[in-house]
Amino acid sequence: MRSLLQIMKDHIRNFYLIIRLSVFELKSSSNNLYLGMLWEVINPLILIGIYWFVFGMGIRGGEEVEGIEYFPWMLSGIIVWFFISQALLQGSKSIYSRIRIISKMNFPMSVIPSFVITSRFYQHLILLGITIIILAFSGYTPTVYSFQLLYFMAANFAFLISISLITSTLATIIRDIQMVVQSVVRVLLYLTPILWTTDKLPAAIRGVLKVNPIYYIVEGYRSALLGTNWYFIDHFLYTAYFWGLVLALLLIGSVLHMKFSQRFVDLL
């Protein structure tokens, strides 16, 4: 618990620095491109079109999902996946890929995964705005349920930071961890009901799939954007499980980071 409290203090003290570094990270990632940061939107939109054509029109034949057209249903889930996948990949290599430069600066290394994740969050906000406009034209205008989107953004951030504290620490010690993370992220796209539904699966298998915390976040985003229900209230036990898991991951990540952070430079 002491390690977690220390990392929380580091984040509070360096909040302004995290924001500045995240903006710099976003700009530097697209400096050499003619269209610059536009690619942060263009690439996801291309993938959305491909996924809709293959899964919506091809595999499902335009079939609705619980009375909701496939495209709005898929869109409301895939936008959060773009953020999660990039944050997991970039967060896992955030420390070892910058440690030679950052080790010469005077701020805690625990904030490195956080500003990297925050830099991906800006893209997420733009895509979210585009999604809300598209859904409005499709008949899914914002409702009172839309307010829970703020909650699920915060929940998503907490989950990503907790995971990245673990993976960024382990990947600095054992570089193979980065390859493991890449493989797991590829698999998670198809183990999470983002492009497909679980309605034809047995109840036991659906329960196993819900062990995946990304399932909770994706379904929460859908409930908010499509205006179906208060997901975090109607699924209270699932909410309790999610936050219990996030807290456990934060504790593990904090202990690992505080134990090895002083040795990071020596491991290079």
Side-chain angles (χ1 to χ4, degrees), residues 50-70:
I50 293 172
Y51 288 144
W52 169 73
F53 180 76
V54 173
F55 289 90
M57 301 303 294
I59 296 177
R60 295 187 61 87
E63 181 184 351
E64 293 183 345
V65 180
E66 298 179 353
I68 299 173
E69 294 179 8
Y70 180 80

Side-chain angles (χ1 to χ4, degrees), residues 42-263:
I42 295 173
N43 278 331
L45 291 179
I46 292 173
L47 288 175
I48 287 171
I50 293 172
Y51 288 144
W52 169 73
F53 180 76
V54 173
F55 289 90
M57 301 303 294
I59 296 177
R60 295 187 61 87
E63 181 184 351
E64 293 183 345
V65 180
E66 298 179 353
I68 299 173
E69 294 179 8
Y70 180 80
F71 181 73
W73 180 86
M74 181 206 71
L75 180 62
S76 57
I78 198 68
I79 57 159
V80 68
W81 170 253
F82 289 139
F83 175 40
I84 290 175
S85 61
Q86 287 300 309
L88 290 176
L89 291 173
Q90 298 299 321
S92 63
K93 62 180 181 181
S94 58
I95 293 180
Y96 78 75
S97 62
R98 297 167 177 81
I99 197 168
R100 292 188 184 278
I101 298 174
I102 296 178
S103 61
K104 301 174 184 177
M105 304 171 69
N106 186 25
F107 68 91
M109 291 188 182
S110 62
V111 306
I112 299 175
S114 298
F115 81 70
V116 172
I117 292 172
T118 304
S119 71
R120 309 311 307 174
F121 183 64
Y122 301 136
Q123 177 207 30
H124 178 59
L125 288 178
I126 296 172
L127 286 175
L128 186 59
I130 295 173
T131 297
I132 291 173
I133 294 173
I134 294 174
L135 290 177
F137 278 104
S138 302
Y140 299 93
T141 55
T143 65
V144 66
Y145 298 120
S146 302
F147 287 106
Q148 66 184 315
L149 198 58
L150 298 174
Y151 161 78
F152 282 105
M153 284 183 185
N156 195 14
F157 239 99
F159 166 69
L160 291 173
I161 289 175
S162 66
I163 287 288
S164 294
L165 269 176
I166 297 174
T167 57
S168 62
T169 299
L170 294 178
T172 305
I173 302 169
I174 308 171
R175 297 300 169 79
D176 297 55
I177 295 297
Q178 176 63 24
M179 302 306 297
V180 173
V181 172
Q182 290 180 17
S183 300
V184 170
V185 167
R186 292 192 191 101
V187 171
L188 283 175
L189 173 61
Y190 301 103
L191 288 182
T192 310
I194 298 172
L195 304 172
W196 56 279
T197 63
T198 61
D199 53 344
K200 296 181 180 179
L201 295 177
I205 296 180
R206 291 200 300 268
V208 171
L209 289 175
K210 286 186 176 181
V211 173
N212 173 11
I214 299 175
Y215 189 116
Y216 174 80
I217 297 170
V218 169
E219 289 301 304
Y221 263 70
R222 284 200 174 112
S223 298
L225 292 171
L226 300 176
T228 55
N229 65 321
W230 294 105
Y231 191 82
F232 68 100
I233 296 176
D234 293 346
H235 298 81
F236 178 76
L237 292 178
Y238 198 16
T239 298
Y241 161 76
F242 174 83
W243 284 109
L245 178 63
V246 168
L247 179 58
L249 292 173
L250 278 172
L251 287 171
I252 295 171
S254 301
V255 171
L256 283 174
H257 182 85
M258 296 303 293
K259 181 177 181 180
F260 293 103
S261 59
Q262 300 300 320
R263 299 171 51 194

